[in-house]
Amino acid sequence: MNPTRRVFFISDRTGLSAEGMGKALLEQFENIKFKQMSYAFINTEDKAHGLVQIINRQAQDDGIRPIVFSSVVDESIGRILAEANALHISLFDAFLSLLEQELGTPARHSVKSRVANVERYDARMEAVNFALNHDDGVSEANLKEADVILMGVSRSGKTPTCLYLALQYGIRAANYPLTPDDLESPDLPRMVKAHKNKLFGLTINPERLHDIREERRANSNYSHIDTCKQEVRDAQAMFRRHQIPFTDTTHKSVEELAVNILQECQLKRRF
Amino acid sequence: MNPTRRVFFISDRTGLSAEGMGKALLEQFENIKFKQMSYAFINTEDKAHGLVQIINRQAQDDGIRPIVFSSVVDESIGRILAEANALHISLFDAFLSLLEQELGTPARHSVKSRVANVERYDARMEAVNFALNHDDGVSEANLKEADVILMGVSRSGKTPTCLYLALQYGIRAANYPLTPDDLESPDLPRMVKAHKNKLFGLTINPERLHDIREERRANSNYSHIDTCKQEVRDAQAMFRRHQIPFTDTTHKSVEELAVNILQECQLKRRF
């Protein structure tokens, strides 16, 4: 029986990518339990020394050295952290020298002093506002401005996907909820007809939809398993009839859905 | 003069972390222009062979081999991609063997068949709904339920930060816009007084605020530089007077703000 292994994700910036990478690596060892902690913005030598003490104490308490995933760019901070009693995995170092060689130029080895990226901010805010303004109702004007229009029955996952597309890529994603009226018609809903090339459908397992809807309105016609089955069947039939690309959201994370849609609709990121 | 270098981010899943890591690495070479393309869900040998052709054609067209950042886990797919005419940087391989050694157990070397992570979905949806429901107005009940309450003047960056905290960490972040009335009072706004330990302030450079507000309501009192200066000064005075932690959003990305708040307020992620 392996003991629980302590893991530190350390970065001199947000550390989001390093954490994602580290977690993906750990997922490859399913028999081992990990306890993970994140330390972001470790951007001074003082903070680094303090963290080394924490790591060393942990190593002592656990009787086994922790694993450190570091995406620290600053060399002097990196050197301090490397002295901790841990398996030190520096996600950057190995590749930086490889790239230096390939590109024939030395790397900066320091955190970029971030200039205010106004353009990026603006694109993101516009997309977030777009998603927020259109979450409740759609108008012709909105659909015209949209980069993509997500269609699906109520609670099929449209809202978080629209928001994620906006925050992550600055994409203006509109949200078209398929009403029972829409679903009964052999036609595409009137409002979206003119924008057929922007449509993307979301579908979901009816049992899962039933569970989600029960949370919101228990024992209602809306959440009844028969309603869910019927709506999902009708929606899928509509997507197929009109050749609208669609995907099942049941087992997908918002990240997966967003990348899926980006790829399938060949959307251009705004940053 | 270096030519523009083509970069491929390749993954058998979303590739978001690999892309983040790769971009951070490339940022270390500021004199070189990169043209980046992402290929997600390369999860069959056929797709891998197709992509190798694309890379090889690109190498020929550019007269220089592209750089490939791969986070492919599947070994047979990885082998195919490694044959392309490119500098192949496999973000996983180097570390997997290191971890195998440390942990004394072999890695899976395959993509995890994702089980429906219902808990994660629920936590995320709850947090997103929380942020959406409370974006326009706040109520006592909402503030009570919140994990954190972001306070700031209009357009200081509260909304996207709340949404990001919700999507990324499942954190229920409420949004308290400081009104001119709030700002004139020496007290904390009545509604948030009882939740002082959950407050976090956002401030912003007045010139930048002016620009943002001009976009929304040009030539208004709301967007006037004097109004912006006054509001920002008053808000900062309030944060200081009541010892509310706060940060300047002007030069920070939403990701940085979120990690900052997470750390500063010691918030517990819900997934």
Side-chain angles (χ1 to χ4, degrees):
Chain A
M1 183 54 207
N2 288 302
T4 296
R5 203 60 182 272
R6 191 78 52 155
V7 176
F8 291 81
F9 298 111
I10 306 175
S11 179
D12 40 10
R13 291 154 308 145
T14 63
L16 290 172
S17 315
E19 208 180 298
M21 282 287 303
K23 286 188 175 171
L25 280 162
L26 298 178
E27 254 186 28
Q28 291 292 312
F29 299 91
E30 44 199 345
N31 302 322
I32 295 178
K33 278 195 112 170
F34 299 102
K35 186 156 198 285
Q36 308 170 10
M37 301 168 90
S38 299
Y39 288 84
F41 305 117
I42 302 299
N43 45 19
T44 66
E45 300 195 359
D46 273 358
K47 287 189 195 173
H49 283 299
L51 189 46
V52 167
Q53 285 189 350
I54 294 174
I55 296 168
N56 288 347
R57 206 154 33 215
Q58 198 65 58
Q60 208 163 16
D61 289 354
D62 293 349
I64 189 162
R65 65 174 181 172
I67 295 167
V68 166
F69 289 100
S70 160
S71 65
V72 165
V73 170
D74 185 278
E75 286 183 297
S76 60
I77 292 174
R79 265 195 300 271
I80 295 168
L81 292 171
E83 279 166 24
N85 181 14
L87 171 69
H88 186 84
I89 297 187
S90 171
L91 296 168
F92 269 0
D93 290 358
F95 305 127
L96 267 189
S97 49
L98 205 64
L99 283 169
E100 283 178 332
Q101 224 176 325
E102 177 77 11
L103 299 170
T105 179
R108 206 151 21 87
H109 290 287
S110 66
V111 176
K112 198 172 178 175
S113 67
R114 201 172 275 273
V115 287
N117 195 334
V118 170
E119 264 171 56
R120 185 185 158 121
Y121 174 91
D122 288 346
R124 191 171 230 170
M125 271 316 291
E126 251 176 65
V128 167
N129 286 334
F130 186 90
L132 290 178
N133 293 339
H134 308 180
D135 192 50
D136 285 337
V138 272
S139 75
E140 290 282 358
N142 304 344
L143 296 179
K144 219 168 152 182
E145 270 179 65
D147 295 322
V148 64
I149 303 165
L150 301 191
M151 263 177 120
V153 302
S154 165
R155 296 288 114 188
S156 54
K158 299 183 297 301
T159 296
T161 311
C162 284
L163 288 172
Y164 192 85
L165 283 167
L167 279 167
Q168 193 73 16
Y169 303 113
I171 284 171
R172 290 178 207 153
N175 171 339
Y176 187 89
L178 289 169
T179 64
D181 279 352
D182 291 333
L183 293 167
E184 277 169 20
S185 161
D187 270 354
L188 274 176
R190 192 188 49 75
M191 281 185 81
V192 300
K193 237 178 171 170
H195 311 285
K196 208 186 141 186
N197 56 331
K198 293 195 217 169
L199 295 176
F200 190 91
L202 298 185
T203 186
I204 183 169
N205 173 291
E207 278 77 26
R208 175 76 183 124
L209 183 61
H210 163 69
D211 288 346
I212 296 173
R213 288 186 172 183
E214 274 286 301
E215 283 281 311
R216 291 184 54 103
R217 261 184 263 159
N219 304 315
S220 62
N221 183 43
Y222 166 79
S223 65
H224 196 283
I225 182 67
D226 291 342
T227 311
C228 294
K229 280 184 178 167
Q230 184 67 47
E231 287 193 16
V232 167
R233 195 161 40 216
D234 289 346
Q236 289 185 6
M238 177 189 286
F239 300 150
R240 291 210 179 86
R241 196 181 314 125
H242 300 283
Q243 281 111 49
I244 295 165
F246 69 99
T247 193
D248 188 330
T249 68
T250 315
H251 299 296
K252 294 205 180 83
S253 67
V254 171
E255 289 88 345
E256 285 172 303
L257 289 172
V259 173
N260 211 234
I261 292 164
L262 204 69
Q263 217 163 258
E264 190 84 36
C265 301
Q266 299 189 294
L267 296 175
K268 221 176 119 35
R269 309 169 182 203
R270 289 190 195 263
F271 50 77
Chain B
M1 184 56 209
N2 287 303
T4 297
R5 204 60 181 269
R6 191 77 52 152
V7 176
F8 290 82
F9 298 110
I10 306 174
S11 179
D12 40 10
R13 293 152 307 146
T14 63
L16 289 172
S17 314
E19 208 180 296
M21 282 287 302
K23 285 187 176 172
L25 281 163
L26 296 180
E27 254 185 27
Q28 291 291 312
F29 299 90
E30 41 200 347
N31 302 322
I32 295 179
K33 280 195 108 169
F34 298 103
K35 185 156 199 285
Q36 307 172 9
M37 300 167 90
S38 300
Y39 288 83
F41 305 118
I42 303 298
N43 46 18
T44 67
E45 301 196 357
D46 272 358
K47 286 188 195 172
H49 283 300
L51 189 46
V52 167
Q53 287 189 347
I54 293 173
I55 296 168
N56 289 348
R57 207 154 33 213
Q58 198 67 58
Q60 208 164 15
D61 289 354
D62 292 349
I64 190 162
R65 63 176 183 172
I67 295 167
V68 166
F69 290 100
S70 161
S71 66
V72 164
V73 170
D74 186 277
E75 286 183 297
S76 59
I77 292 173
R79 264 195 301 272
I80 294 168
L81 291 171
E83 280 166 24
N85 179 16
L87 172 70
H88 187 84
I89 296 187
S90 171
L91 296 167
F92 269 179
D93 288 358
F95 305 126
L96 268 188
S97 49
L98 206 64
L99 283 168
E100 283 177 332
Q101 225 177 322
E102 177 78 11
L103 299 170
T105 177
R108 206 151 22 85
H109 290 287
S110 65
V111 176
K112 197 170 179 178
S113 66
R114 202 171 273 275
V115 286
N117 195 334
V118 170
E119 265 171 56
R120 185 185 160 120
Y121 174 91
D122 287 347
R124 190 172 232 169
M125 271 316 291
E126 253 176 64
V128 167
N129 286 334
F130 185 89
L132 290 179
N133 294 338
H134 306 181
D135 191 51
D136 285 336
V138 273
S139 75
E140 290 282 359
N142 303 344
L143 296 178
K144 217 168 153 182
E145 271 179 64
D147 296 320
V148 63
I149 302 167
L150 301 190
M151 261 176 122
V153 302
S154 164
R155 297 286 114 189
S156 54
K158 301 182 297 300
T159 297
T161 311
C162 285
L163 289 171
Y164 193 85
L165 283 166
L167 279 167
Q168 194 72 17
Y169 302 114
I171 285 171
R172 289 178 208 151
N175 171 339
Y176 187 87
L178 288 169
T179 64
D181 278 352
D182 291 334
L183 293 168
E184 277 168 21
S185 162
D187 269 355
L188 273 177
R190 192 189 48 77
M191 282 185 81
V192 299
K193 237 178 170 167
H195 310 287
K196 206 186 143 186
N197 57 332
K198 292 194 216 170
L199 295 177
F200 189 90
L202 298 185
T203 186
I204 183 170
N205 172 290
E207 277 76 26
R208 175 76 183 123
L209 183 61
H210 163 69
D211 288 346
I212 296 173
R213 288 186 172 183
E214 274 286 301
E215 284 281 312
R216 288 181 59 99
R217 260 185 263 158
N219 305 315
S220 63
N221 182 42
Y222 166 79
S223 66
H224 196 283
I225 183 67
D226 292 342
T227 310
C228 294
K229 281 184 179 167
Q230 185 66 48
E231 287 193 16
V232 168
R233 194 161 41 217
D234 290 347
Q236 289 185 6
M238 177 188 286
F239 301 151
R240 291 210 179 87
R241 195 182 314 124
H242 300 283
Q243 283 111 47
I244 294 163
F246 69 99
T247 194
D248 187 331
T249 67
T250 315
H251 299 295
K252 295 204 179 82
S253 67
V254 171
E255 290 87 345
E256 285 172 303
L257 289 171
V259 174
N260 211 234
I261 293 164
L262 205 68
Q263 219 164 256
E264 191 84 34
C265 301
Q266 299 189 296
L267 297 174
K268 219 175 119 38
R269 308 170 182 204
R270 291 189 193 265
F271 51 77

